[in-house]
Amino acid sequence: MSAKVWLIGAGPGAADLITVRGMRLLQEADCVLYDALVQPEMLTYCPQAELIDVGKRCDLASTQQAFINKMLVDAARKHSRVVRLKGGDPLLFGRAQEELRALDVAGIAYEIVPGITAALAASADAGVSLTSRGLARNVLFATARVGHGEDPSDWVRPVLAADTSVLYMGVKQAAEVAAALLAGGMRADTPLLIVENASLPSKREWPLTLAELPQAASWQLQGPAILLIGEVYRAKLALAATPQAKLA
Amino acid sequence: MSAKVWLIGAGPGAADLITVRGMRLLQEADCVLYDALVQPEMLTYCPQAELIDVGKRCDLASTQQAFINKMLVDAARKHSRVVRLKGGDPLLFGRAQEELRALDVAGIAYEIVPGITAALAASADAGVSLTSRGLARNVLFATARVGHGEDPSDWVRPVLAADTSVLYMGVKQAAEVAAALLAGGMRADTPLLIVENASLPSKREWPLTLAELPQAASWQLQGPAILLIGEVYRAKLALAATPQAKLA
């Protein structure tokens, strides 16, 4: 049997923010392995397929990744059209390289279909361009790593060098993230924007300053949130009430 | 008349790499203003719409941007469902902020629909993840600015600080880009990947080192090309013949 695997980016959450190609491949799939970040509505495109919830989360242990790799290879040995559906884009914070290596080793053909990454969806929701003439000529996508054994300079230095930065995850550790950025020399009045559940009806946003960021650690966010940083968010900050008022 | 404008990312080129939402909005549009980077196949989604080619290019003069802003506002005064279709994602190197400001001033409602940016499509074509465990934890998207009156440190410093970088445009000025990166301290053996016409049947890629980059200035590239930089491309470099051989 000549099986093929399509590694598809589901996008930020809304079912109609997958690509047309991604939707069509879901409609033709025999088997779909999907992430914890994939919304249930997305799976209505593939009622014919065997669905496998691999429940992947960002703080995944490597043993769990090895198990996903094995399930993916097993599915490709059993079915001819297998979709591996991942939240966002597969090649940006998606651990795709490990799954692709497993497919290579098993001699299984694959193709990658890009997806809308959360930063682009959050920006569309907020109506603020990541780059802006005279204000921001480049943008960094990073994950904030705080805690035991982590060297914050790994991510703080590139964040400080970039005009706009987007931190995937990290809002739950807002106090540590703020401390690391302040220690690195970022100004306390730097404008930030937190966007939760980008692209979904439950989406929410809070403009705030770096000095106010530690407060966000106590907010009870329900879904995935990203932190956008840079001068392009200053206009939104000026319009906003206090972050606490906006949360209420 | 209560007109509305949708600012939609067309994605990297392939007609089926627009989002499902973007395709549906094109199918319902009265008028579509599109860029030079939008492929003709994309416009087959909207045979009913009045099509306006605003021919926008990256090195656009600001007077031309003012003219596009005016055409967009005029279209919204004449039609009820207007789509502004931009190559890639509207909020990443898309000059969207200027068009949104013009709509705000004119009191016209709008919504933004994200698109697949070229870096994600090029990565999918190449099969290399922008981030990779233990190798690349962050990625910078930038434009290389060389020539009179430009300070290369504006873009060289963030590129040097990031693990993976993607330079939009800049391949035509490969010699100046290479000189600026080498002067900034980037190693001559840093692996690079040039991807031309990402997502299209005519797509091509060349792995090369920073030391070899100046040669690319003389290549006759036919379409838009991006330059990807970082250790994640080393494996591809090892597999490749010389860049000249691959071009032939």
Side-chain angles (χ1 to χ4, degrees):
Chain A
M1 177 152 52
S2 64
K4 188 163 175 181
V5 173
W6 283 267
L7 198 70
I8 299 179
D16 61 352
L17 287 183
I18 193 173
T19 61
V20 172
R21 185 182 302 172
M23 176 189 69
R24 290 177 181 160
L25 288 165
L26 280 175
Q27 289 168 341
E28 296 166 354
D30 300 317
C31 177
V32 176
L33 297 93
Y34 64 98
D35 274 4
L37 286 173
V38 170
Q39 296 292 308
E41 291 74 19
M42 192 69 69
L43 301 174
T44 60
Y45 290 132
C46 50
Q48 78 292 344
E50 180 184 332
L51 300 178
I52 303 178
D53 177 359
V54 297
K56 185 172 170 176
R57 295 229 174 249
C58 307
D59 52 356
L60 177 76
S62 60
T63 49
Q64 195 181 339
Q65 181 63 60
F67 183 65
I68 292 175
N69 297 349
K70 183 182 181 314
M71 287 207 291
L72 187 57
V73 169
D74 286 351
R77 291 200 171 124
K78 192 170 148 201
H79 300 282
S80 60
R81 299 180 68 88
V82 174
V83 167
R84 172 71 173 100
L85 190 62
K86 295 171 90 82
D89 180 81
L91 302 183
L92 193 58
F93 309 123
R95 293 272 184 99
Q97 217 61 40
E98 297 163 57
E99 298 181 24
L100 297 181
R101 200 175 306 128
L103 293 171
D104 275 332
V105 167
I108 295 161
Y110 57 78
E111 213 170 287
I112 304 165
V113 180
I116 302 291
T117 189
L120 300 184
S123 298
D125 287 347
V128 181
S129 188
L130 290 161
T131 56
S132 192
R133 220 177 140 209
L135 204 56
R137 291 176 161 186
N138 55 66
V139 53
L140 182 87
F141 296 164
T143 52
R145 295 176 164 261
V146 292
H148 286 300
E150 296 289 350
D151 178 2
S153 70
D154 278 357
W155 59 272
V156 169
R157 202 171 64 92
V159 166
L160 286 168
D163 292 339
T164 303
S165 292
V166 182
L167 293 181
Y168 282 62
M169 305 160 270
V171 176
K172 282 177 189 165
Q173 296 165 305
E176 293 88 342
V177 168
L181 290 172
L182 287 166
M186 186 176 278
R187 289 171 54 121
D189 70 344
T190 302
L192 314 180
L193 184 68
I194 293 175
V195 178
E196 180 193 20
N197 285 331
S199 89
L200 297 177
S202 54
K203 69 189 171 204
R204 297 194 294 179
E205 63 171 55
W206 299 276
L208 72 173
T209 63
L210 178 56
E212 295 168 321
L213 179 59
Q215 304 168 15
S218 64
W219 299 350
Q220 300 299 315
L221 300 187
Q222 306 300 314
I226 62 172
L227 177 63
L228 303 111
I229 304 170
E231 283 303 317
V232 293
Y233 306 106
R234 190 169 294 282
K236 200 162 266 270
L237 192 61
L239 291 171
T242 64
Q244 298 93 321
K246 289 189 70 79
L247 184 63
Chain B
M1 176 151 55
S2 63
K4 188 161 175 183
V5 173
W6 284 267
L7 197 70
I8 300 179
D16 61 352
L17 286 183
I18 193 172
T19 60
V20 173
R21 184 182 301 172
M23 176 189 70
R24 288 177 182 161
L25 287 165
L26 280 175
Q27 289 168 339
E28 297 166 351
D30 300 317
C31 178
V32 176
L33 295 94
Y34 64 97
D35 274 4
L37 286 172
V38 170
Q39 295 291 310
E41 290 74 19
M42 193 68 71
L43 300 174
T44 60
Y45 290 130
C46 50
Q48 80 291 346
E50 180 184 330
L51 299 178
I52 303 178
D53 176 0
V54 297
K56 187 171 169 176
R57 294 231 174 246
C58 309
D59 52 356
L60 177 75
S62 59
T63 49
Q64 197 181 338
Q65 181 63 59
F67 184 65
I68 292 174
N69 297 349
K70 183 181 182 311
M71 287 206 292
L72 187 56
V73 169
D74 287 351
R77 291 198 170 127
K78 192 172 146 197
H79 300 281
S80 60
R81 298 180 68 89
V82 174
V83 167
R84 173 71 175 100
L85 190 62
K86 294 169 91 82
D89 179 80
L91 302 183
L92 194 59
F93 309 123
R95 293 275 182 96
Q97 218 60 38
E98 297 164 57
E99 297 180 23
L100 298 181
R101 201 175 305 130
L103 293 171
D104 275 333
V105 168
I108 295 160
Y110 57 78
E111 215 171 286
I112 304 165
V113 180
I116 302 290
T117 189
L120 301 183
S123 298
D125 288 346
V128 181
S129 188
L130 290 161
T131 56
S132 192
R133 222 176 139 208
L135 204 57
R137 291 175 160 187
N138 55 66
V139 53
L140 181 86
F141 295 169
T143 52
R145 294 175 164 264
V146 292
H148 285 299
E150 297 288 351
D151 178 1
S153 69
D154 278 358
W155 59 272
V156 169
R157 200 170 65 92
V159 166
L160 286 168
D163 291 341
T164 303
S165 293
V166 183
L167 293 181
Y168 282 62
M169 304 159 271
V171 176
K172 282 178 189 164
Q173 296 165 304
E176 292 88 343
V177 168
L181 290 172
L182 288 166
M186 185 174 277
R187 289 172 53 121
D189 71 344
T190 302
L192 315 180
L193 184 68
I194 292 173
V195 178
E196 180 193 19
N197 285 331
S199 89
L200 297 178
S202 54
K203 70 190 171 204
R204 298 193 295 179
E205 64 172 54
W206 300 275
L208 71 173
T209 63
L210 179 55
E212 294 168 322
L213 179 58
Q215 304 168 15
S218 65
W219 298 352
Q220 300 299 314
L221 300 186
Q222 306 298 315
I226 63 173
L227 176 63
L228 304 110
I229 304 170
E231 283 303 317
V232 292
Y233 306 106
R234 189 170 297 280
K236 199 160 266 270
L237 193 61
L239 291 171
T242 63
Q244 298 93 320
K246 288 190 70 77
L247 183 66

